[in-house]
Amino acid sequence: MKQQNYANHRRLDPKYHFIFILLTAIVLVGSIINLISVFNSDASRTEAILIFLISLMFTLIISMIRTYPLKAQDRAIHAEEGLRHFILSGKRIDPRLTNSQIIALRFASDAEYIALCEKAADENLAPDAIKKAISSWRGDHFRI
């Protein structure tokens, strides 16, 4: 497996991020165009409204399909990093750290983890700044 670093740590699932989202957008736009054209004519509006509502519902489901598992992964990462911090330092992780900061800190090696946690909490570093500050990258190959 290719070594992960700041430049290549983001991963996309082509079937979801390109095909599925694109097709959903096409269906939603098509249903809006259909709805507008029906309202500009004397045709029955019921079918156009139903098609639009179904495509809107499908769009919402697509966004939920992505966000719910990510929230579960975020909770798992938060717990793992809290345990990791306790093992390395004997103390609980700083409560000033946000969930986004903790998620970014997961890429830091054990050698720099505690110091980077303190720096992130003291300076309120953005997650991207935390990732850029990591000198010895620890890959996360499970998250998409």
Side-chain angles (χ1 to χ4, degrees):
M1 200 173 291
K2 187 176 179 183
Q3 174 134 2
Q4 226 178 50
N5 57 40
Y6 178 78
N8 70 4
H9 78 285
R10 295 192 174 157
R11 293 183 8 189
L12 297 174
D13 180 5
K15 289 178 285 202
Y16 177 83
H17 288 102
F18 301 117
I19 297 170
F20 212 43
I21 290 177
L22 178 65
L23 290 175
T24 302
I26 290 169
V27 169
L28 182 62
V29 170
S31 72
I32 292 170
I33 292 168
N34 181 45
L35 188 64
I36 291 169
S37 68
V38 165
F39 271 91
N40 290 333
S41 70
D42 291 334
S44 174
R45 297 176 180 168
T46 307
E47 292 88 4
I49 291 171
L50 286 175
I51 291 169
F52 170 71
L53 290 176
I54 291 169
S55 65
L56 185 62
M57 192 171 59
F58 192 66
T59 303
L60 293 173
I61 289 169
I62 296 303
S63 68
M64 290 176 3
I65 284 173
R66 179 74 177 142
T67 56
Y68 287 178
L70 284 179
K71 286 182 184 194
Q73 285 180 343
D74 291 348
R75 288 180 60 130
I77 291 168
H78 191 102
E80 290 168 356
E81 294 307 308
L83 178 62
R84 179 179 174 207
H85 190 278
F86 187 79
I87 290 169
L88 294 173
S89 71
K91 296 184 257 179
R92 296 183 78 176
I93 198 161
D94 194 321
R96 295 178 295 168
L97 290 171
T98 65
N99 205 39
S100 297
Q101 289 172 313
I102 292 169
I103 291 167
L105 285 161
R106 80 186 185 279
F107 294 113
S109 68
D110 288 349
E112 62 185 333
Y113 182 72
I114 299 300
L116 197 52
C117 284
E118 291 171 3
K119 182 178 179 179
D122 291 340
E123 299 176 18
N124 194 24
L125 294 176
D128 200 54
I130 292 169
K131 292 175 191 176
K132 288 179 180 176
I134 296 170
S135 57
S136 179
W137 197 271
R138 179 176 156 247
D140 179 358
H141 301 284
F142 298 109
R143 186 166 178 162
I144 294 179

